[in-house]
Amino acid sequence: MSSTHTAPRASASVPRLSASAPATVPESLPAARHRLRRALSFEVIPPRSAAQAARMPQLLRFLDSLSPDYLAVTSSAKSDWLKGTADFIAEVTSTTSLRPLAHLACTAGTEPELLAWIDHLLQVGVRGFLAIRGDVPDGETSVPPEHLPHADALVSLLRRVESDNVACLAAGRLGIGVAAYPSGHPESTGPEEDLDVLAAKQRNGADFAITQLFFDPTAYSRLRRRAEHAGITIPIIPGILPITDARRLHTMSRLSGQPVPEHLLARFDGVSDPASARRIGLDITAEHTAAILDQEADGLHFYTFNDQNTTEDLLTALGDRGVSVSSFPPPPPPRRWPPSSATETTTEKETRS
């Protein structure tokens, strides 16, 4: 986590929500953004076996058909860190129209090693990164020596690469996402530190945030309200993991560092067959997702775990609740390439004659 940044003492009578909050906090939230549509994204894991690789093209075709704004691709030691990510992204960009967002973790290498991988990822078509600290090695309390300590430093590094390579990027910007924690980071001292860290990421150049997993939809609305009062204006996209049974709840607990609410576990009481548990879990996920959208979320980010059937089933459950992700992306404009002889104008024909 990043260190807390000291802010000037507040003079207003309204209590400060964070050390990053302005001295005068408005009583209500700022006006809603003029948003044309909600963002839609999915997250996949580079295949780790021949069997997984054989199933991946079908999943990619399905996700491509949904026209998401981007496809987040994870990196980890199990997928050979950034080499596995880069090789997989090269396949994605050559076979689909999906726009990859590459995970980049401080724990993946030293700064010189990260710079080499950033360059390679740019060469295979990446124009967006999710900058995270990553899990520290087992038995350690911090990232290895010579590594960037926190995600805000990684955001700064990416912006430096962007500035140094304006010509290669056609004067464009890299899209940089970061993590946010509706229920608090497991290592945080409390909500104020979580906000200060997110504010530091924004100051260093983050464009948006994707949330870690959370169980309570109201935790998302609380995070957004506190963030906006603290001057954090980047969109905060809720991350959604389909629940398929009680075990998936415990998986979410392990990944988020939060205990599973008893009322959610209770919904699986007395359920013995997997089909019923799956239906209950997807109903819970759809309920929570609909509630989150009611709070004016800027979009949805789905963690697929490379499971096409479950992803499709969740989208169907959402559709039953009136939420169709097909309405998120805009309709494609009419194609004008390649040109058709049937559309040649009289002037074009006369020019050739």
Side-chain angles (χ1 to χ4, degrees), residues 38-344:
R38 299 182 194 272
L40 174 66
S41 56
F42 296 89
E43 184 166 303
V44 298
I45 304 167
R48 299 167 182 171
S49 68
Q52 291 179 11
R55 293 192 296 268
M56 186 58 69
Q58 182 177 343
L59 172 63
L60 293 178
R61 285 194 297 270
F62 166 66
L63 296 178
D64 201 3
S65 71
L66 299 173
S67 301
D69 293 282
Y70 55 88
L71 179 76
V73 181
T74 67
S75 66
S76 70
K78 293 180 180 179
S79 56
D80 199 11
W81 282 115
L82 293 172
K83 184 181 189 307
T85 299
D87 290 347
F88 177 63
I89 285 175
E91 180 71 14
V92 170
T93 56
S94 66
T95 60
T96 75
S97 61
L98 294 164
R99 293 174 283 270
L101 178 85
H103 283 215
L104 193 65
C106 298
T107 50
T110 63
E111 182 173 326
E113 290 170 335
L114 287 177
L115 284 170
W117 280 116
I118 292 169
D119 179 68
H120 184 61
L121 289 165
L122 292 176
Q123 296 306 316
V124 298
V126 171
R127 290 298 181 269
F129 293 89
L130 183 68
I132 56 178
R133 187 199 66 178
D135 296 329
V136 299
D138 291 339
E140 302 292 333
T141 58
S142 61
V143 298
E146 308 303 323
H147 288 55
L148 298 177
H150 305 292
D152 57 348
L154 186 51
V155 173
S156 294
L157 178 66
L158 286 165
R159 288 295 178 220
R160 196 174 82 214
V161 170
E162 174 190 82
S163 178
D164 291 342
N165 294 275
V166 170
C168 297
L169 298 172
R173 295 179 74 250
L174 297 175
I176 301 179
V178 294
Y181 298 87
S183 299
H185 191 287
E187 300 171 21
S188 170
T189 58
E192 285 199 359
E193 184 179 8
D194 288 327
L195 286 178
D196 291 338
V197 171
L198 187 55
K201 295 173 183 177
Q202 175 179 274
R203 286 194 299 272
N204 288 6
D207 294 304
F208 63 97
I210 299 174
T211 72
Q212 180 54 281
L213 302 175
F214 57 100
F215 294 105
D216 181 4
T218 61
Y220 172 75
S221 61
R222 287 196 302 269
L223 172 62
R224 279 196 61 198
R225 184 173 185 276
R226 291 173 64 89
E228 292 190 8
H229 281 168
I232 298 170
T233 59
I234 59 175
I236 300 175
I237 310 298
I240 307 296
L241 175 64
I243 300 169
T244 51
D245 51 30
R247 288 178 299 176
R248 181 60 66 87
L249 285 173
H250 291 294
T251 298
M252 291 176 63
S253 174
R254 175 176 55 81
L255 293 175
S256 66
Q258 302 295 322
V260 181
E262 288 298 328
H263 72 275
L264 293 183
L265 287 173
R267 293 181 64 168
F268 294 93
D269 287 349
V271 178
S272 57
D273 64 294
S276 295
R278 181 182 178 85
R279 176 181 53 77
I280 292 170
L282 292 175
D283 283 346
I284 292 173
T285 311
E287 289 171 14
H288 285 192
T289 304
I292 290 166
L293 289 176
D294 286 342
Q295 297 160 22
E296 296 299 319
D298 290 291
L300 293 174
H301 180 76
F302 292 98
Y303 298 100
T304 72
F305 277 22
N306 293 1
D307 186 340
Q308 178 178 338
N309 290 336
T310 298
T311 303
E312 287 191 84
D313 288 347
L314 174 57
L315 298 183
T316 299
L318 284 171
D320 293 341
R321 292 181 173 275
V323 178
S324 173
V325 298
S326 63
S327 66
F328 284 31
R335 294 186 65 87
R336 293 292 183 263
W337 184 264
S340 170
S341 59
T343 60
E344 285 183 324

